[in-house]
Amino acid sequence: MRSIPEDRTTRALIRDEALGLFAAHGPDSVTVRQIATAAGVSPGLVVHHFGSKDGLRQEVDQYVVAAFEAMLGELTGDGSDEPLDSGAGAASLSAAFTRHFPAGSPLPGYLRRLLLADSEAGRQLFGRLYELSRAALDDLAAAGLAVPGRDPAARAAVLLANDLAVFLLRDRIGEVLGTDPLSADGMARWAPEVLGIYTGGLNAPPPAEGPREA
């Protein structure tokens, strides 16, 4: 067991190792001892920093929400003099997440668990994502690039659910497509289809009539 000074670096190390284990196995399946082993510290040090596994889980949740809040802030121009580019709203949230989080990051995996869990952090994050989806739809409608529909609130929720599906069903989509949809190659296939559906819909042109018999 290596000795690490009890400072913020140690706390962040434990949090990051817990995040990876929680994302891979689910918080309920991971023990304090497993987290301590991954971080190279004693179980007592984990408890010292976070009080309990529940306390550590709450900090992991807060960290993940803050990470996505920071990314969403960049997309929406929060804290910047640059307004949101309405054309950027045509891009899928999934593609935006892929650009901001490197391959191998446990954050997308933990996002799935967070959104499906009955937790305040999950509700907070989904609400923030919905606000972004609604704002993007409003911006696109104002620019003449989208139609808000009869029920803009419901349409924004539909668009958000479609974007989040690639996270929630990542493994199953990868199995049928033969590639991870959140990888660069997978997104190169996924994003054009999403944009094609958003811009052109699924309506097929009427079949051409063949030559009439004399």
Side-chain angles (χ1 to χ4, degrees):
M1 189 78 65
R2 67 179 183 269
S3 176
I4 302 176
E6 294 188 23
D7 56 17
R8 292 179 61 189
T9 300
T10 303
R11 187 182 183 92
L13 173 64
I14 296 171
R15 179 204 63 209
D16 291 346
E17 293 297 341
L19 169 58
L21 289 171
F22 289 169
H25 307 291
D28 293 338
S29 300
V30 178
T31 66
V32 169
R33 184 171 297 278
Q34 289 172 325
I35 296 167
T37 299
V41 301
S42 69
L45 189 58
V46 175
V47 174
H48 169 74
H49 278 292
F50 300 97
S52 65
K53 192 181 83 170
D54 285 342
L56 174 54
R57 180 176 180 178
Q58 289 176 12
E59 182 142 335
V60 169
D61 285 352
Q62 292 169 3
Y63 173 74
V64 171
V65 169
F68 279 101
E69 283 279 0
M71 185 272 290
L72 295 175
E74 292 181 16
L75 291 181
T76 57
D78 289 352
S80 169
D81 293 334
E82 294 293 329
L84 175 66
D85 178 4
S86 60
S92 160
L93 282 176
S94 302
F97 289 165
T98 303
R99 290 196 305 271
H100 282 76
F101 298 113
S105 170
L107 287 169
Y110 196 74
L111 172 67
R112 290 187 291 179
R113 298 187 183 278
L114 193 59
L115 289 174
L116 294 176
D118 183 17
S119 69
E120 181 59 31
R123 287 187 286 272
Q124 177 184 344
L125 181 56
F126 186 84
R128 181 71 176 92
L129 293 172
Y130 175 75
E131 290 174 2
L132 175 66
S133 180
R134 183 67 188 269
L137 179 59
D138 289 345
D139 287 345
L140 289 169
L145 300 174
V147 178
R150 291 178 296 179
D151 189 341
R155 178 162 295 199
V158 168
L159 295 176
L160 175 58
N162 184 73
D163 280 336
L164 291 177
V166 71
F167 286 93
L168 303 180
L169 298 174
R170 179 181 185 177
D171 296 336
R172 304 291 81 81
I173 293 172
E175 290 169 2
V176 297
L177 293 184
T179 185
D180 179 359
L182 293 181
S183 68
D185 291 341
M187 194 52 60
R189 296 178 62 185
W190 185 267
E193 293 302 321
V194 170
L195 293 176
I197 293 171
Y198 283 175
T199 57
L202 290 174
N203 295 328
E209 295 184 2
R212 295 182 179 179
E213 296 182 1

